[in-house]
Amino acid sequence: MPTAPDLPAWLTRVGVFDLETTGVDVASDRVVTAHVGVLDANGRQIAARSWLADPGIPIPEGATAVHGITTMHARAHGRPAAEVVGEVTAALRSLLAQGVPVVAYNASYDFSLLAHEAVRHGIEPLADPAPIIDPLVIDKAYDRYRRGKRTLEVVAAHYAVPLDGAHEACADAIAAGRVAQALARQFVLPQSLTELHTRQVGWARSQAESLTEYFISIGRLEPEETLDGTWPVRPHASAPQPRRPS
């Protein structure tokens, strides 16, 4: 049997990031819970912080059904959204400034929504965060023709990564980091973080174009509509957005 690739040096210490929110629109929906942590080479979390925010708007029942946080709970126990958004943004900015890559599953969703929240609260956003590692984009690029869904829960199971408590920000963030490490052990990824980040920009654009064609073919989009494949932060939300695969 072929020997598995060695884990790249840049994956021996990685940040992990996830949000749970009021909905799937990156421009108008709000942060409810957030998690930022750091994993070592064995996928053990060696640093972590979680947040619960009062988003300032009602949490729809559909969102509560996903992550379990009600409007009443968020109002009673959550901190002001501006404080949470500022601290999450600062934590990510600190990791990136140290050269620690941040893993986020479907990164363009979480980073775009966080950027819109930052602007909403008068906080300097992470306009062009790097280096980012997106296991969703990488998995699609390296195993393009695998059938089935690409939710975090499904992809984690495919790579034998445990995920207890899906749609809880801490559990999802840790699982995403471990999936990134599993991908690196199965496939030969670029040895440079800069190269990987740049390739993901192109892969995400191509994947959005392919998904656009598929959605048009099944009538989910009109022929003149396109999905925004900008990665890792979408500049606007005027184009239709795919549902969040996590």
Side-chain angles (χ1 to χ4, degrees), residues 7 31 40 56 70 78 90 97 110-111 123 134 151 167 179 183 187-188 201 210 212 223 226 231 241:
L7 196 66
V31 172
D40 68 11
T70 64
D110 295 86
F111 278 101
I123 298 162
D134 190 336
T151 63
H167 299 296
V179 168
L183 284 163
F187 303 108
V188 180
V201 172
S210 178
T212 294
T226 60
W231 182 95
Q241 304 296 330

PDB file of all heavy atoms in Angstrom, residues 7 31 40 56 70 78 90 97 110-111 123 134 151 167 179 183 187-188 201 210 212 223 226 231 241:
ATOM      1  N   LEU A   7       2.250  14.942   7.249  1.00  0.00           N
ATOM      2  CA  LEU A   7       1.480  16.144   7.529  1.00  0.00           C
ATOM      3  C   LEU A   7       2.364  17.359   7.286  1.00  0.00           C
ATOM      4  O   LEU A   7       3.457  17.451   7.836  1.00  0.00           O
ATOM      5  CB  LEU A   7       1.015  16.125   8.987  1.00  0.00           C
ATOM      6  CG  LEU A   7      -0.107  17.083   9.385  1.00  0.00           C
ATOM      7  CD1 LEU A   7      -1.394  16.707   8.689  1.00  0.00           C
ATOM      8  CD2 LEU A   7      -0.302  17.047  10.904  1.00  0.00           C
ATOM      9  N   VAL A  31     -24.487  36.741  14.338  1.00  0.00           N
ATOM     10  CA  VAL A  31     -23.778  35.733  15.127  1.00  0.00           C
ATOM     11  C   VAL A  31     -24.579  35.405  16.387  1.00  0.00           C
ATOM     12  O   VAL A  31     -25.056  36.303  17.086  1.00  0.00           O
ATOM     13  CB  VAL A  31     -22.378  36.242  15.528  1.00  0.00           C
ATOM     14  CG1 VAL A  31     -21.719  35.275  16.511  1.00  0.00           C
ATOM     15  CG2 VAL A  31     -21.505  36.433  14.302  1.00  0.00           C
ATOM     16  N   ASP A  40      -3.257  20.985  17.935  1.00  0.00           N
ATOM     17  CA  ASP A  40      -1.876  20.565  17.692  1.00  0.00           C
ATOM     18  C   ASP A  40      -1.844  19.536  16.561  1.00  0.00           C
ATOM     19  O   ASP A  40      -2.874  19.263  15.914  1.00  0.00           O
ATOM     20  CB  ASP A  40      -1.228  20.029  18.977  1.00  0.00           C
ATOM     21  CG  ASP A  40      -1.833  18.713  19.471  1.00  0.00           C
ATOM     22  OD1 ASP A  40      -2.623  18.077  18.746  1.00  0.00           O
ATOM     23  OD2 ASP A  40      -1.505  18.329  20.610  1.00  0.00           O
ATOM     24  N   GLY A  56     -29.432  40.615  18.979  1.00  0.00           N
ATOM     25  CA  GLY A  56     -30.169  41.866  18.822  1.00  0.00           C
ATOM     26  C   GLY A  56     -31.402  41.748  17.965  1.00  0.00           C
ATOM     27  O   GLY A  56     -32.131  42.728  17.793  1.00  0.00           O
ATOM     28  N   THR A  70     -32.276  29.540  21.677  1.00  0.00           N
ATOM     29  CA  THR A  70     -33.505  30.307  21.490  1.00  0.00           C
ATOM     30  C   THR A  70     -33.247  31.795  21.698  1.00  0.00           C
ATOM     31  O   THR A  70     -32.233  32.194  22.299  1.00  0.00           O
ATOM     32  CB  THR A  70     -34.579  29.864  22.489  1.00  0.00           C
ATOM     33  OG1 THR A  70     -34.120  30.163  23.826  1.00  0.00           O
ATOM     34  CG2 THR A  70     -34.867  28.370  22.371  1.00  0.00           C
ATOM     35  N   GLY A  78     -26.588  35.778  26.669  1.00  0.00           N
ATOM     36  CA  GLY A  78     -25.607  36.229  25.686  1.00  0.00           C
ATOM     37  C   GLY A  78     -25.061  37.607  25.994  1.00  0.00           C
ATOM     38  O   GLY A  78     -25.712  38.432  26.646  1.00  0.00           O
ATOM     39  N   ALA A  90     -10.830  39.997  16.789  1.00  0.00           N
ATOM     40  CA  ALA A  90      -9.491  40.213  17.348  1.00  0.00           C
ATOM     41  C   ALA A  90      -8.754  38.895  17.540  1.00  0.00           C
ATOM     42  O   ALA A  90      -7.540  38.807  17.285  1.00  0.00           O
ATOM     43  CB  ALA A  90      -9.594  40.960  18.676  1.00  0.00           C
ATOM     44  N   ALA A  97      -1.935  37.008  12.400  1.00  0.00           N
ATOM     45  CA  ALA A  97      -0.742  37.845  12.509  1.00  0.00           C
ATOM     46  C   ALA A  97       0.472  37.036  12.952  1.00  0.00           C
ATOM     47  O   ALA A  97       1.614  37.370  12.631  1.00  0.00           O
ATOM     48  CB  ALA A  97      -0.993  38.991  13.490  1.00  0.00           C
ATOM     49  N   ASP A 110     -18.615  31.822   7.000  1.00  0.00           N
ATOM     50  CA  ASP A 110     -18.300  32.341   8.334  1.00  0.00           C
ATOM     51  C   ASP A 110     -17.543  33.662   8.280  1.00  0.00           C
ATOM     52  O   ASP A 110     -17.854  34.599   9.019  1.00  0.00           O
ATOM     53  CB  ASP A 110     -17.493  31.300   9.108  1.00  0.00           C
ATOM     54  CG  ASP A 110     -18.297  30.041   9.373  1.00  0.00           C
ATOM     55  OD1 ASP A 110     -18.305  29.160   8.499  1.00  0.00           O
ATOM     56  OD2 ASP A 110     -18.913  29.945  10.435  1.00  0.00           O
ATOM     57  N   PHE A 111     -16.538  33.750   7.405  1.00  0.00           N
ATOM     58  CA  PHE A 111     -15.750  34.985   7.340  1.00  0.00           C
ATOM     59  C   PHE A 111     -16.551  36.131   6.733  1.00  0.00           C
ATOM     60  O   PHE A 111     -16.379  37.289   7.137  1.00  0.00           O
ATOM     61  CB  PHE A 111     -14.455  34.750   6.571  1.00  0.00           C
ATOM     62  CG  PHE A 111     -13.362  34.127   7.399  1.00  0.00           C
ATOM     63  CD1 PHE A 111     -13.081  32.779   7.303  1.00  0.00           C
ATOM     64  CD2 PHE A 111     -12.629  34.885   8.295  1.00  0.00           C
ATOM     65  CE1 PHE A 111     -12.083  32.192   8.071  1.00  0.00           C
ATOM     66  CE2 PHE A 111     -11.632  34.322   9.081  1.00  0.00           C
ATOM     67  CZ  PHE A 111     -11.353  32.970   8.969  1.00  0.00           C
ATOM     68  N   ILE A 123     -16.647  47.978  13.667  1.00  0.00           N
ATOM     69  CA  ILE A 123     -15.384  47.294  13.955  1.00  0.00           C
ATOM     70  C   ILE A 123     -14.647  47.055  12.641  1.00  0.00           C
ATOM     71  O   ILE A 123     -15.273  46.736  11.622  1.00  0.00           O
ATOM     72  CB  ILE A 123     -15.663  45.939  14.647  1.00  0.00           C
ATOM     73  CG1 ILE A 123     -16.373  46.179  15.987  1.00  0.00           C
ATOM     74  CG2 ILE A 123     -14.391  45.124  14.831  1.00  0.00           C
ATOM     75  CD1 ILE A 123     -17.072  44.951  16.537  1.00  0.00           C
ATOM     76  N   ASP A 134      -9.806  25.741   4.038  1.00  0.00           N
ATOM     77  CA  ASP A 134     -11.223  25.404   3.940  1.00  0.00           C
ATOM     78  C   ASP A 134     -11.367  23.948   3.517  1.00  0.00           C
ATOM     79  O   ASP A 134     -11.229  23.622   2.339  1.00  0.00           O
ATOM     80  CB  ASP A 134     -11.900  26.328   2.929  1.00  0.00           C
ATOM     81  CG  ASP A 134     -13.423  26.199   2.939  1.00  0.00           C
ATOM     82  OD1 ASP A 134     -13.925  25.138   3.350  1.00  0.00           O
ATOM     83  OD2 ASP A 134     -14.097  27.159   2.505  1.00  0.00           O
ATOM     84  N   THR A 151     -21.842  18.113   3.569  1.00  0.00           N
ATOM     85  CA  THR A 151     -21.954  18.777   4.869  1.00  0.00           C
ATOM     86  C   THR A 151     -20.770  18.370   5.734  1.00  0.00           C
ATOM     87  O   THR A 151     -20.140  17.321   5.511  1.00  0.00           O
ATOM     88  CB  THR A 151     -23.255  18.388   5.580  1.00  0.00           C
ATOM     89  OG1 THR A 151     -23.218  16.980   5.842  1.00  0.00           O
ATOM     90  CG2 THR A 151     -24.480  18.722   4.735  1.00  0.00           C
ATOM     91  N   HIS A 167     -23.316  21.132  14.675  1.00  0.00           N
ATOM     92  CA  HIS A 167     -23.974  22.438  14.714  1.00  0.00           C
ATOM     93  C   HIS A 167     -23.828  23.117  16.068  1.00  0.00           C
ATOM     94  O   HIS A 167     -24.585  24.023  16.404  1.00  0.00           O
ATOM     95  CB  HIS A 167     -25.444  22.340  14.299  1.00  0.00           C
ATOM     96  CG  HIS A 167     -25.636  21.839  12.898  1.00  0.00           C
ATOM     97  ND1 HIS A 167     -25.195  22.536  11.797  1.00  0.00           N
ATOM     98  CD2 HIS A 167     -26.172  20.701  12.432  1.00  0.00           C
ATOM     99  CE1 HIS A 167     -25.477  21.841  10.706  1.00  0.00           C
ATOM    100  NE2 HIS A 167     -26.059  20.720  11.072  1.00  0.00           N
ATOM    101  N   VAL A 179     -10.580  17.401  10.068  1.00  0.00           N
ATOM    102  CA  VAL A 179     -10.792  17.013   8.663  1.00  0.00           C
ATOM    103  C   VAL A 179      -9.680  17.584   7.787  1.00  0.00           C
ATOM    104  O   VAL A 179      -9.177  16.902   6.887  1.00  0.00           O
ATOM    105  CB  VAL A 179     -12.181  17.482   8.166  1.00  0.00           C
ATOM    106  CG1 VAL A 179     -12.280  17.337   6.645  1.00  0.00           C
ATOM    107  CG2 VAL A 179     -13.287  16.684   8.838  1.00  0.00           C
ATOM    108  N   LEU A 183      -7.334  15.326   5.459  1.00  0.00           N
ATOM    109  CA  LEU A 183      -7.137  15.573   4.027  1.00  0.00           C
ATOM    110  C   LEU A 183      -5.655  15.612   3.685  1.00  0.00           C
ATOM    111  O   LEU A 183      -5.216  15.058   2.662  1.00  0.00           O
ATOM    112  CB  LEU A 183      -7.803  16.897   3.629  1.00  0.00           C
ATOM    113  CG  LEU A 183      -9.325  16.881   3.501  1.00  0.00           C
ATOM    114  CD1 LEU A 183      -9.870  18.307   3.525  1.00  0.00           C
ATOM    115  CD2 LEU A 183      -9.744  16.177   2.221  1.00  0.00           C
ATOM    116  N   PHE A 187      -4.113  13.195   0.871  1.00  0.00           N
ATOM    117  CA  PHE A 187      -3.750  13.795  -0.409  1.00  0.00           C
ATOM    118  C   PHE A 187      -2.463  14.606  -0.253  1.00  0.00           C
ATOM    119  O   PHE A 187      -2.126  15.039   0.847  1.00  0.00           O
ATOM    120  CB  PHE A 187      -4.867  14.705  -0.917  1.00  0.00           C
ATOM    121  CG  PHE A 187      -6.193  14.012  -1.070  1.00  0.00           C
ATOM    122  CD1 PHE A 187      -7.230  14.267  -0.184  1.00  0.00           C
ATOM    123  CD2 PHE A 187      -6.406  13.102  -2.095  1.00  0.00           C
ATOM    124  CE1 PHE A 187      -8.455  13.635  -0.319  1.00  0.00           C
ATOM    125  CE2 PHE A 187      -7.633  12.452  -2.239  1.00  0.00           C
ATOM    126  CZ  PHE A 187      -8.656  12.725  -1.348  1.00  0.00           C
ATOM    127  N   VAL A 188      -1.783  14.813  -1.356  1.00  0.00           N
ATOM    128  CA  VAL A 188      -0.569  15.624  -1.341  1.00  0.00           C
ATOM    129  C   VAL A 188      -0.976  17.086  -1.555  1.00  0.00           C
ATOM    130  O   VAL A 188      -1.235  17.515  -2.678  1.00  0.00           O
ATOM    131  CB  VAL A 188       0.430  15.171  -2.411  1.00  0.00           C
ATOM    132  CG1 VAL A 188       1.690  16.038  -2.359  1.00  0.00           C
ATOM    133  CG2 VAL A 188       0.791  13.701  -2.224  1.00  0.00           C
ATOM    134  N   VAL A 201      -8.618  29.945  -3.670  1.00  0.00           N
ATOM    135  CA  VAL A 201      -9.349  31.042  -4.310  1.00  0.00           C
ATOM    136  C   VAL A 201      -9.871  30.590  -5.668  1.00  0.00           C
ATOM    137  O   VAL A 201     -11.047  30.799  -6.018  1.00  0.00           O
ATOM    138  CB  VAL A 201      -8.453  32.288  -4.457  1.00  0.00           C
ATOM    139  CG1 VAL A 201      -9.156  33.352  -5.297  1.00  0.00           C
ATOM    140  CG2 VAL A 201      -8.073  32.853  -3.095  1.00  0.00           C
ATOM    141  N   SER A 210     -19.471  25.735 -11.389  1.00  0.00           N
ATOM    142  CA  SER A 210     -20.048  24.419 -11.658  1.00  0.00           C
ATOM    143  C   SER A 210     -21.404  24.257 -10.976  1.00  0.00           C
ATOM    144  O   SER A 210     -22.363  23.735 -11.574  1.00  0.00           O
ATOM    145  CB  SER A 210     -19.081  23.334 -11.185  1.00  0.00           C
ATOM    146  OG  SER A 210     -19.621  22.052 -11.374  1.00  0.00           O
ATOM    147  N   THR A 212     -23.426  26.667 -10.114  1.00  0.00           N
ATOM    148  CA  THR A 212     -24.364  27.544 -10.812  1.00  0.00           C
ATOM    149  C   THR A 212     -24.987  26.821 -12.006  1.00  0.00           C
ATOM    150  O   THR A 212     -26.213  26.846 -12.208  1.00  0.00           O
ATOM    151  CB  THR A 212     -23.653  28.820 -11.294  1.00  0.00           C
ATOM    152  OG1 THR A 212     -23.243  29.593 -10.159  1.00  0.00           O
ATOM    153  CG2 THR A 212     -24.583  29.666 -12.156  1.00  0.00           C
ATOM    154  N   PRO A 223     -31.424  31.477 -15.489  1.00  0.00           N
ATOM    155  CA  PRO A 223     -30.221  31.459 -16.331  1.00  0.00           C
ATOM    156  C   PRO A 223     -29.304  32.662 -16.143  1.00  0.00           C
ATOM    157  O   PRO A 223     -28.093  32.560 -16.341  1.00  0.00           O
ATOM    158  CB  PRO A 223     -30.790  31.406 -17.752  1.00  0.00           C
ATOM    159  CG  PRO A 223     -32.118  30.736 -17.593  1.00  0.00           C
ATOM    160  CD  PRO A 223     -32.647  31.226 -16.268  1.00  0.00           C
ATOM    161  N   THR A 226     -26.101  33.893 -10.877  1.00  0.00           N
ATOM    162  CA  THR A 226     -24.845  33.183 -10.602  1.00  0.00           C
ATOM    163  C   THR A 226     -24.608  33.143  -9.098  1.00  0.00           C
ATOM    164  O   THR A 226     -25.040  34.038  -8.363  1.00  0.00           O
ATOM    165  CB  THR A 226     -23.634  33.866 -11.267  1.00  0.00           C
ATOM    166  OG1 THR A 226     -23.519  35.209 -10.774  1.00  0.00           O
ATOM    167  CG2 THR A 226     -23.762  33.878 -12.782  1.00  0.00           C
ATOM    168  N   TRP A 231     -13.794  33.963  -2.435  1.00  0.00           N
ATOM    169  CA  TRP A 231     -13.330  33.246  -1.243  1.00  0.00           C
ATOM    170  C   TRP A 231     -12.058  33.906  -0.737  1.00  0.00           C
ATOM    171  O   TRP A 231     -11.226  34.313  -1.547  1.00  0.00           O
ATOM    172  CB  TRP A 231     -13.060  31.778  -1.637  1.00  0.00           C
ATOM    173  CG  TRP A 231     -12.623  30.898  -0.517  1.00  0.00           C
ATOM    174  CD1 TRP A 231     -13.417  30.089   0.242  1.00  0.00           C
ATOM    175  CD2 TRP A 231     -11.298  30.734  -0.001  1.00  0.00           C
ATOM    176  NE1 TRP A 231     -12.656  29.435   1.187  1.00  0.00           N
ATOM    177  CE2 TRP A 231     -11.350  29.819   1.057  1.00  0.00           C
ATOM    178  CE3 TRP A 231     -10.047  31.292  -0.333  1.00  0.00           C
ATOM    179  CZ2 TRP A 231     -10.223  29.435   1.786  1.00  0.00           C
ATOM    180  CZ3 TRP A 231      -8.928  30.915   0.387  1.00  0.00           C
ATOM    181  CH2 TRP A 231      -9.022  29.992   1.434  1.00  0.00           C
ATOM    182  N   GLN A 241     -27.028  32.962  -2.915  1.00  0.00           N
ATOM    183  CA  GLN A 241     -26.058  32.243  -2.114  1.00  0.00           C
ATOM    184  C   GLN A 241     -26.477  30.790  -1.939  1.00  0.00           C
ATOM    185  O   GLN A 241     -27.649  30.511  -1.693  1.00  0.00           O
ATOM    186  CB  GLN A 241     -25.919  32.884  -0.722  1.00  0.00           C
ATOM    187  CG  GLN A 241     -25.568  34.347  -0.761  1.00  0.00           C
ATOM    188  CD  GLN A 241     -24.200  34.585  -1.382  1.00  0.00           C
ATOM    189  OE1 GLN A 241     -23.315  33.757  -1.291  1.00  0.00           O
ATOM    190  NE2 GLN A 241     -24.038  35.716  -2.020  1.00  0.00           N
TER     191      GLN A 241
END
